């Protein structure tokens, strides 16, 4: 009996050993970061003409001279400049010295940068107010309209929020950066005489069935305005805009006379 127990224990130990070896082999090995290269990258870098600031490196972050971009965490590993923001992007390093940095951008072009010790370039990184879309303060509108001898009073108030909308973009050096904007909440209230017909705080998420999800994620609820009144109800248009572009969706929002809200894309 003891021989059988010993044999069983031996087999069990053998299985555990093989399993442990397999786990070690399957475990992903994280690339080693080149700390010397990261140290050499610290400072302000200019384009090859020495006129425009490309970025500033401080610690583990890359700062871009843009009023809306946010600092991006980075690593130097496997001869690559790795930016870790909304998504991870790798740029192959072609050449690096304490004062020269060359890498291949997303278009396959070689970006050549030179470090500067001129402190005046720090002005490019002075914090700036984040740009709002369409308005920079609370907007209030009200309209009085008549239909079939009935009076309707419409109140619109657009309120800025601290809700961030992140929109990736590629700068002049072919480097992807995350730009940050602030979304709006829009209040719409409609009265029929003294009776409140409709009232709601409207957010961009309310248009998920009318606007593509990927666009909506990067868009700002920019505006709402009254258009007309007819037998169908009171017509308003919501403007969902992509920051720093001319692209937007116009969603028609109709408050029916029974107080129901329906939405559809403007044709």
């Amino acid at each position: 009996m003891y021989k059988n127990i010993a044999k069983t224990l031996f087999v069990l130990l053998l299985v555990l050993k093989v399993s442990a070896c397999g786990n070690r082999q399957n475990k992903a090995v994280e690339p080693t970061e080149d700390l010397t290269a990261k140290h050499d990258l610290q400072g302000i870098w200019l384009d090859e003409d020495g006129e425009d600031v490309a970025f500033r490196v401080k610690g583990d972050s890359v700062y871009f001279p843009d009023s809306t971009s946010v600092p991006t965490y980075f690593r130097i590993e496997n001869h690559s400049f790795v930016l870790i923001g909304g998504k991870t992007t790798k740029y192959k390093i072609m050449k690096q010295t304490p004062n020269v940095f060359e890498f291949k951008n997303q278009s396959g072009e070689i970006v050549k940068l030179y470090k500067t010790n001129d402190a005046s370039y720090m002005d490019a990184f002075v914090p700036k107010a984040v740009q709002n879309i369409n308005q920079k303060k609370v907007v209030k509108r009200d309209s009085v309209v008549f239909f079939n001898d009935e009076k309707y009073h419409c109140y619109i108030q657009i309120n800025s929020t601290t809700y961030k909308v992140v929109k990736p973009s590629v700068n002049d050096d072919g480097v992807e950066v995350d730009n940050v904007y602030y979304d709006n909440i829009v209040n719409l209230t409609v009265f029929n005489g003294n009776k409140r017909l409709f009232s709601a705080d409207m957010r961009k998420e309310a248009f998920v069935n009318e606007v593509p999800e990927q666009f909506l994620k990067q868009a700002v609820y920019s505006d709402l305005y009254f258009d007309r009144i007819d037998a169908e109800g009171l017509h308003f248009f919501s403007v969902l805009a992509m920051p720093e572009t001319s692209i937007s969706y116009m969603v028609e929002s109709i408050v029916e006379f029974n107080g129901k809200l329906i939405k559809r894309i403007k044709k």
Side-chain angles (χ1 to χ4, degrees):
M1 182 179 74
Y2 294 110
K3 289 183 178 180
N4 290 335
I5 293 175
K7 183 177 181 180
T8 301
L9 289 174
F10 174 77
V11 172
L12 179 61
L13 290 172
L14 182 62
V15 170
L16 289 174
K17 184 176 180 180
V18 171
S19 176
C21 292
N23 288 337
R24 284 197 296 269
Q25 291 176 353
N26 293 332
K27 185 177 180 181
V29 178
E30 183 176 348
T32 301
E33 185 171 13
D34 189 336
L35 297 180
T36 299
K38 173 173 277 192
H39 177 269
D40 288 343
L41 205 59
Q42 304 294 308
I44 298 175
W45 294 85
L46 307 180
D47 64 9
E48 60 182 321
D49 296 324
E51 297 179 355
D52 297 323
V53 177
F55 52 72
R56 177 195 180 201
V57 174
K58 182 180 180 182
D60 290 327
S61 298
V62 180
Y63 297 79
F64 297 95
D66 189 296
S67 62
T68 56
S69 65
V70 293
T72 302
Y73 174 73
F74 84 100
R75 291 170 58 89
I76 301 292
E77 58 188 41
N78 293 335
H79 303 291
S80 294
F81 180 37
V82 185
L83 295 180
I84 306 172
K87 66 178 182 179
T88 299
T89 311
K90 296 183 179 182
Y91 304 92
K92 184 178 180 180
I93 297 173
M94 310 305 294
K95 178 180 180 181
Q96 183 180 8
T97 70
N99 296 300
V100 177
F101 186 52
E102 298 181 6
F103 63 93
K104 185 176 294 187
N105 66 18
Q106 291 178 318
S107 301
E109 301 171 334
I110 304 300
V111 177
K112 299 180 180 180
L113 304 178
Y114 299 93
K115 186 183 291 185
T116 179
N117 294 317
D118 188 343
S120 65
Y121 285 102
M122 284 294 295
D123 291 341
F125 302 94
V126 174
K128 305 177 182 67
V130 175
Q131 299 173 358
N132 290 309
I133 306 302
N134 195 47
Q135 69 280 315
K136 297 182 179 181
K137 57 184 179 181
V138 174
V139 173
K140 297 182 179 181
R141 303 190 185 105
D142 65 271
S143 306
V144 177
V145 294
F146 291 85
F147 186 76
N148 289 341
D149 297 325
E150 294 283 335
K151 178 182 178 181
Y152 296 89
H153 201 154
C154 312
Y155 296 92
I156 294 173
Q157 182 166 313
I158 301 171
N159 302 292
S160 59
T161 73
T162 57
Y163 178 74
K164 294 180 180 179
V165 175
V166 179
K167 175 181 172 290
S169 65
V170 178
N171 66 16
D172 293 339
D173 293 317
V175 177
E176 185 173 289
V177 299
D178 288 338
N179 296 323
V180 174
Y181 305 86
Y182 290 131
D183 204 2
N184 296 318
I185 292 178
V186 181
N187 177 268
L188 172 62
T189 301
V190 178
F191 283 91
N192 176 201
N194 295 323
K195 175 186 176 182
R196 186 167 62 181
L197 187 64
F198 177 87
S199 184
D201 285 330
M202 302 168 65
R203 295 171 170 81
K204 71 177 184 179
E205 288 77 13
F207 303 95
V208 66
N209 294 324
E210 290 76 33
V211 178
E213 181 181 358
Q214 189 57 38
F215 179 92
L216 195 62
K217 182 179 179 181
Q218 298 180 14
V220 168
Y221 193 169
S222 182
D223 204 356
L224 176 71
Y225 62 88
F226 174 76
D227 182 57
R228 69 186 189 278
I229 185 171
D230 57 23
E232 195 174 13
L234 296 99
H235 297 248
F236 301 85
F237 278 108
S238 293
V239 181
L240 299 156
M242 181 75 74
E244 304 300 326
T245 74
S246 59
I247 305 172
S248 65
Y249 274 81
M250 301 276 290
V251 182
E252 189 174 16
S253 302
I254 305 169
V255 177
E256 298 181 324
F257 296 118
N258 60 5
K260 181 182 177 181
L261 179 70
I262 61 174
K263 301 185 293 291
R264 63 193 182 203
I265 292 292
K266 181 181 180 181
K267 300 298 184 180

